[in-house]
């Protein structure tokens, strides 16, 4: 009986090691968002959406991002779950987007303020061309 006991312990150790390895692999495969950003979609150009956030920031979002709660449209308040990276281009673009949640329609005053900022600070330079 004593000769079986070390083998049994070895088997249990191997099974435990295999279980830990599989759990570690499954955890690596999950894509948890590193960052969350909320804002208002103020404009659509082609398949790109422009997101206005507090502090007068504009970010671009690709239209083919995964969306829950309907279809993206200008005037919506959204929450973006992404990997935390921001591409240093003008206007900046968010890195890998895991999901966009539609939170509902933005308040009219809030949307108008965001749209005014976009139309004066971003659109003339990046979409319409440089104003002379």
């Amino acid at each position: 009986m004593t000769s079986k006991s070390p083998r049994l312990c070895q088997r249990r150790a191997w099974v435990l090691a295999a279980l830990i390895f599989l759990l570690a692999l499954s955890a690596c495969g999950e894509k948890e968002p590193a960052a969350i950003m909320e804002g208002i979609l103020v404009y659509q150009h082609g398949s790109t959406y422009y997101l206005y956030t507090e502090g007068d920031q504009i970010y671009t979002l690709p239209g083919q991002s995964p969306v829950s709660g309907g279809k993206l449209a200008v005037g919506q308040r959204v929450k973006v779950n992404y990997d935390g990276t921001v591409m240093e281009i003008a206007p900046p673009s968010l890195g890998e987007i895991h999901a966009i949640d539609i939170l509902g329609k933005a308040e009219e005053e809030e949307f108008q303020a965001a749209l005014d900022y976009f139309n004066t600070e971003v659109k003339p330079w990046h979409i319409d061309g440089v104003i002379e």
Side-chain angles (χ1 to χ4, degrees):
M1 184 141 170
T2 53
S3 64
K4 289 185 180 180
S5 183
R7 284 188 181 167
L8 183 60
C9 287
Q10 285 179 338
R11 285 184 193 161
R12 287 182 180 168
W14 278 108
V15 168
L16 184 60
L19 247 161
I20 291 170
F21 179 73
L22 289 174
L23 285 172
L25 278 179
S26 68
C28 290
E30 294 176 13
K31 290 187 176 182
E32 289 294 320
I36 295 174
M37 184 177 293
E38 283 190 30
I40 301 169
L41 298 176
V42 292
Y43 192 77
Q44 179 183 4
H45 183 70
S47 63
T48 301
Y49 286 88
Y50 289 78
L51 176 72
Y52 173 86
T53 63
E54 288 185 18
D56 293 334
Q57 294 291 318
I58 298 285
Y59 297 93
T60 59
L61 306 173
Q64 66 271 18
S65 300
V67 179
S68 65
K71 189 174 179 181
L72 292 180
V74 171
Q76 292 173 331
R77 177 167 281 288
V78 296
K79 179 173 73 172
V80 182
N81 297 298
Y82 67 108
D83 67 358
T85 60
V86 176
M87 310 304 169
E88 294 296 326
I89 56 176
S93 178
L94 299 181
E96 183 181 349
I97 296 174
H98 302 296
I100 299 175
D101 299 320
I102 299 171
L103 303 175
K105 188 174 179 177
E107 296 292 326
E108 187 59 38
E109 292 174 4
E110 181 179 51
F111 173 69
Q112 194 57 53
L115 185 60
D116 289 346
Y117 176 81
F118 175 78
N119 283 331
T120 57
E121 300 296 327
V122 178
K123 187 174 184 266
W125 298 96
H126 299 286
I127 297 173
D128 296 337
V130 177
I131 298 174
E132 295 185 35

